């Protein structure tokens, strides 16, 4: 098998429709558009049901890449896995992270020892509205994780450090479609459906990586918080009806100049937990006495959520009772603040809605660094 | 002069009208209501113009203290300095910090060496709507700071570590009142007036402590960001028309069992800056290698704001362009997340709107710890 | 049986804590506080879970009435039925409507022919968290309606024109309490629980007035939209755990100078439906050619909701997909705009969350006018 | 001079990126894309600074029209005047209104008597950030109105019934650009700048149509509410730096099958004022006794705003003090509710921010109907 090199580049965005940074990199020759396999973005919407910055950014990026890949924009969306996570609350800064995969260039042969960053992708079939948030979505996601691991050349679950999933949500239209066929959806609220879809997808990741023992039932979703994945990160979007799965890990078959590591925050203020992701990944070591090596840091990827029991270490939080500002916005802002303090930048990927992604109220954090 | 001991106790709240924690402490004999000089609270409103949780909490606390102080509720509000800062976004937790002052009890004599926490209070005269956000408010605040320092027994500016100011804002009614007298207010927007009032008050603190050289003109407010105080913390509220000033510092005349220290965050992600406040105050030292001594920490007090130039360390933030969620909510959530990570709790005082309180986009942070 | 006279007066509020209008009326002798049986208010919060303007207004009114009724504030809350509906979006104006009941004064004997406004009140027992939104709440509400009708001296369902219910909601604390006893609540979302509680209460009203045939099951709540009451108006609040029921209708035993009438809006833009409530009630007749007699109008009481199928007369609305602004705020603003246009004032009672209160997407409207 | 026929068609949208309705009309032959001169849309964002649904809709429509007009998307945006007004609060429904202009088709010759709908367009030069909201913008807009009237073949101001203007706003970037050149912008707040830009543009319309006497100074903008236009409707958007002006009126040179009329609402609840626009335009007459002829109605176009003095007919509104929901959202929802009640549909154009567009707190309303 030929060795591949996964590449990663972070690009700032001036707005959800801004593709100038990507275009500049391509036109300068620094980035070959044919090697792009996935683009993870943070866009500046509310991250909720009516956050159109996600689909707008995807549309703008596809339109910009179409002539450069010599295919229509629709086909670009099928070829590249786009995951746009809405919400750059607080100090977070809108940006995309572009992941590439290419045969190993000879000049990098010396870097080829040990395990390095590798990336794989898979798509599930489209779901029916009534399947969202339930066991069908769980099982289909688990199957897609296995496919994506194979695609990445990663054989062992412990080498998987981050699994990004993009999943669908319910709208009035979709709920109507289901009830028209005498089917009941898991919830009648569009906003709530985002949580169910994220939760079921995360349980699918946990199942695939044997973080939990099956079987998992419909009733576990958003209820049994003891079941979770330490590496799943799921975003819901209105623009699709299937799950897209991106597996990131380290592989001996990769000649990438990057490595990835992860840890878990046990709650939203678990700075010590977050620090562990920086230690082994490369960019870090001891903090303060020997601060994080921010030069080598490429990006951090984390999930944030409001602890469902309404408290953090015994002190009540108000995220779940705020009818003006959704809990996901609260959580992204807070965890984003903590991680930006560690990373020295707000251009990091912090995504809301961490149901079954890490322990309840906590979440996974992965760090990619120059090896 | 008799020596005093400043006391500090933090009490969780289950809602803006919840006084049960305070009442329990009083009824158990742990807290003498006659010694209360100030109550700083974080309440769970939006922190904006129509945040009535501030006045509701003040009304509830006053009503609860009235029979115990043997005076009508109105008089309680005049006797005790209530500062309710609205907004517990993200991981922040609603609570009050009760400050007391009492003659030194003999059994604490051994703690009396060195400088310890001391607190002083002053009230400015009521402002006319057209004076808010302008030099009259600046100068009156400066005078009140001097009065409060004397009240605290603090002679030198360098011993002042936190100056909390409560200031008024403009409403449609107040703007109308001014224009009815042919006067122009500094802004026609109620929300914007909060920033002007906070900014002018902070410049008054800076002037009093000689952090800046006078004179300061109307045009400097919200414009000349080079002028700021490193210890001012200002909250605007709809419920008053004058400024209430609370000076906190260390004084040799205090026999308190607490000390206070401060530092400045140069921007909203300045974790290193924040850590300095923990070092000297008592509760801290080196972080990680020797983590913050959270047992000794009583509370941290910080201001948070969106950097007015729209970026943090070169990366664009979106706080100022978000028409759904005010910048102050964003900033409190983010800085609250970072500081809660350091402190190990969300029950800390992080207040939004840091105009002229610390450098633009940053803010002061003070820490009170058991000595 | 002695005849009673129901009185109604509308009082503007300058803020949720403003009781000056009520106090002025009492001190002038125009209003005898001993005759007050209910106060319906519109306060300026978000109408959601964390809308503390409701309990703040109730606390302020109780505190103001306590010395005038010679009882502690707690007892005032038990004696008078306070219903504060949060949310004065758009043109709506914060105000209270004070309902009184007193033996007939001799000078009004000439008005005593025909049926006039009468009001009755009842309280259900406190609910357990797991009973909220389910059949227990439905049946207990129905029983309370019967009790309140008797209290009002109204024998026939067709003489009932408005039934205002105040009901509880779930919080993180309450959900935890139930799960601690191995009970499942109807939803895990505080915001969603408001809808369930309102829906079950409205079905209880419909059952009591034989607008629907029983039995009604748990599964009908928020699902079977064919079941609804044409006169129920329900508001959820965090400050209580039981239902308070206020029945308004016309009774021959009343010597009131007011009458009440109602109709139903079949959707949120049903102006023709709304107009019918004005016709018979007294204040109106033909609109335009002979406009509504606004001089005789005392107040209008309406419920507003977003149609659950996501459309109005075939055109999509976006209320249910808006993650920045809850559907109840949208609906109150829109229906408030329409009714304020008819009434010529924004000081009307339009309350959100019309589940099972009128047809789906529509809602009841009642009008009180001078006879 | 050849006679033209202005066409108007309203098309529902399923989302800001949905162009299917327009494409279907074109592909069916019902709409010739070459005749399109302007597209006015209501999109479902917040209508504020960060409402990207406006530029997203424009991008999607341009991309869809580009191959059909045989030109790049950029050129489409220059050829057709796109005005996307964000915000479909309450019962309002997302849609576009497509305006066409074509030489008169012979079969319509019989309709050619009297004045019929005509439309004209003009673009101002791009503004510098410091010119926005000031007299330069006023004067340039006035000049553009004259150009657009000539384009429409309308000679007299009284035949102009609606002038839609699209204008720029300030962002952090733009404010920085100005201050980098030692220029001061009219405000430092992005949100506030929208009001200034709309206000100055509206005064430009008023000046051009001699509704006010010049000269108008910088100080009049957002201050002198006696100066206003009865036909101006202005929307601010982040996506442009110049003003686009669309004049609509009736012209003898038009052979359109439509006519337009207008009136003014003196405040946000002025139903009688709104009704006058329906009377002469065609679709209406007496309401109720002879209800509005909804079959002939094509669309209504109105501006809505919160009265700056904080009250409507003596009753306080809370739109300007709400820190969770901007006043423009409140006002659109309320006025949208009233007008949807009259029109029998929520698919109408109600735009927020009515500074100097109609009297303070009120706004213009125009109605297009089949002749």
């Amino acid at each position: 098998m030929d060795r591949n090199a996964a590449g990663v580049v972070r690009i700032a965005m001036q707005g959800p429709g801004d593709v100038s940074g990507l275009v500049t990199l391509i036109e300068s020759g620094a980035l070959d558009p044919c090697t792009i396999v996935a683009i993870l973005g943070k866009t500046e919407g509310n991250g909720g049901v009516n956050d159109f910055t996600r689909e707008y950014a995807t549309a703008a990026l596809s339109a910009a890449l179409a002539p450069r890949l010599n295919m229509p924009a629709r086909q670009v969306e099928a070829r590249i896995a786009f995951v746009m996570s809405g919400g750059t609350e607080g100090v977070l800064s809108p940006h995309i992270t572009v992941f590439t995969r290419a045969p190993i260039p000879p000049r990098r042969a010396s870097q080829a020892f040990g395990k390095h960053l590798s990336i794989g992708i898979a798509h599930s079939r489209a779901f029916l509205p009534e399947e969202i948030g339930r066991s069908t979505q769980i099982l289909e996601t688990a199957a897609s994780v296995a496919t994506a691991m194979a695609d990445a050349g990663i054989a062992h679950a412990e080498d998987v450090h981050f699994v990004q999933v993009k999943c669908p949500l319910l709208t009035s239209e979709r709920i109507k479609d289901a009830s028209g066929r005498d089917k009941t959806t898991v919830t009648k609220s569009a906003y709530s459906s985002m949580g169910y879809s994220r939760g079921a997808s995360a349980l699918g990741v946990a199942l695939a990586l044997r973080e939990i023992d099956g079987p998992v039932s419909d009733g576990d979703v958003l209820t049994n918080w003891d079941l979770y994945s330490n590496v799943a990160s799921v975003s819901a979007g209105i623009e699709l009806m299937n799950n897209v799965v991106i597996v990131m890990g380290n592989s001996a078959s990769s000649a990438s100049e990057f490595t990835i590591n992860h840890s878990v925050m046990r709650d939203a203020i678990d700075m010590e937990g977050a620090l562990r992701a920086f230690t082994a990944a490369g960019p870090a070591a001891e903090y303060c006495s020997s601060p994080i090596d921010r030069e080598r840091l490429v990006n951090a990827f984390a999930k944030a959520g409001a602890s469902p029991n309404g408290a953090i270490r015994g002190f009540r939080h108000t995220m779940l009772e705020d009818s003006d500002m959704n809990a996901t916005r609260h959580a992204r802002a807070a965890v984003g603040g903590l991680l930006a303090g560690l990373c020295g930048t707000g251009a990091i990927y912090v995504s809301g809605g961490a149901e079954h992604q890490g322990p309840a109220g906590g979440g996974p954090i992965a760090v990619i660094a120059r090896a």
Side-chain angles (χ1 to χ4, degrees), chain A:
Chain A
M1 176 177 157
D2 273 354
R3 302 189 69 191
N4 279 303
V8 195
V9 60
R10 182 179 58 184
I11 305 172
M13 292 173 87
Q14 293 309 309
D18 174 31
V19 297
S20 61
L22 177 65
V23 167
T24 301
L25 275 186
I26 291 174
E27 293 187 343
S28 73
L31 181 69
D32 177 356
C34 297
T35 64
I36 300 174
V37 289
I39 299 182
L40 262 69
K42 283 301 309 175
T43 59
E44 58 202 283
N46 60 32
V49 179
N50 64 330
D51 181 351
F52 298 101
T53 62
R54 294 176 301 224
E55 62 172 87
Y56 180 25
T58 301
L61 290 166
S62 300
L65 288 169
R68 293 168 173 96
L69 290 172
N70 208 19
M71 56 178 68
R74 277 283 151 215
Q75 210 170 315
V76 176
E77 288 194 47
R79 174 192 170 115
I80 296 172
F82 290 93
V83 180
M84 296 296 144
S85 162
T88 56
E89 290 81 6
V91 297
L92 295 173
S93 184
H95 72 280
I96 52 171
T97 307
V98 179
F99 293 90
T100 58
R101 193 162 61 171
I104 180 175
R107 60 181 156 82
R108 286 196 198 143
S110 61
Q111 298 173 332
F113 300 103
K115 291 180 178 174
H116 289 81
L117 179 67
S118 188
I119 185 168
I121 292 174
H123 299 75
S124 83
R125 70 161 169 83
F127 298 116
L128 293 167
E130 62 269 27
E131 291 173 341
I132 292 173
R134 290 174 173 151
S135 49
T136 303
Q137 193 180 20
I138 297 174
L139 296 174
E140 290 290 328
T141 306
S144 295
V145 170
T147 307
M149 281 177 68
D151 185 46
I154 300 176
H156 304 296
E158 66 263 27
D159 284 329
V160 174
H161 291 286
F162 203 64
V163 181
Q164 175 65 46
V165 182
K166 184 166 74 160
C167 66
L169 54 85
L170 293 173
T171 60
S172 299
E173 282 296 321
R174 292 166 187 176
I175 295 166
K176 221 186 310 181
D177 168 79
S179 66
R181 290 178 289 98
D182 281 330
K183 302 292 184 186
T184 314
T185 52
V186 71
T187 174
K188 282 168 268 186
S189 151
Y191 182 74
S192 298
S193 77
M194 301 176 78
Y196 279 99
S197 185
R198 288 188 299 251
S201 300
L203 289 172
V205 175
L207 213 54
L209 300 177
R210 297 188 182 280
E211 298 179 283
I212 58 174
D213 296 326
V216 182
S217 73
D218 288 9
D220 289 320
V221 182
L222 303 198
T223 300
N224 187 348
W225 299 117
D226 292 338
L227 306 180
Y228 58 85
S229 167
N230 281 320
V231 295
S233 163
V234 192
S235 288
I238 204 169
E239 70 277 15
L240 77 172
M241 277 307 284
N242 68 332
N243 273 18
V244 181
V245 173
I246 308 173
V247 163
M248 300 182 200
N250 295 320
S251 166
S253 73
S254 167
S256 173
E257 51 184 323
F258 305 98
T259 60
I260 185 168
N261 190 30
H262 85 278
S263 70
V264 170
M265 294 172 71
R266 69 178 170 94
D267 60 26
I269 62 176
D270 185 14
M271 182 172 282
E272 289 77 6
L275 276 166
R276 283 193 298 273
F278 292 85
T279 316
E286 297 297 304
Y287 185 62
C288 285
S289 50
S290 155
I292 289 176
D293 184 354
R294 289 171 178 166
E295 294 303 311
R296 288 170 57 208
L297 178 73
V298 178
N299 210 342
F301 301 85
K303 287 298 289 190
S307 74
N309 73 353
I312 301 172
R313 302 188 193 176
F315 281 97
R316 184 171 71 100
H317 67 72
T318 60
M319 300 188 251
L320 298 170
E321 265 90 35
D322 191 340
S323 296
D324 294 309
M325 185 176 147
N326 277 315
T328 47
R329 303 201 77 179
H330 279 281
R332 270 192 302 269
V335 174
L338 189 158
L339 295 179
L342 290 177
C343 295
T345 177
I348 53 177
Y349 183 93
V350 178
S351 173
E355 302 87 352
H356 302 293
Q357 301 149 64
I365 168 168
V367 172
I368 296 180
R370 225 162 274 277

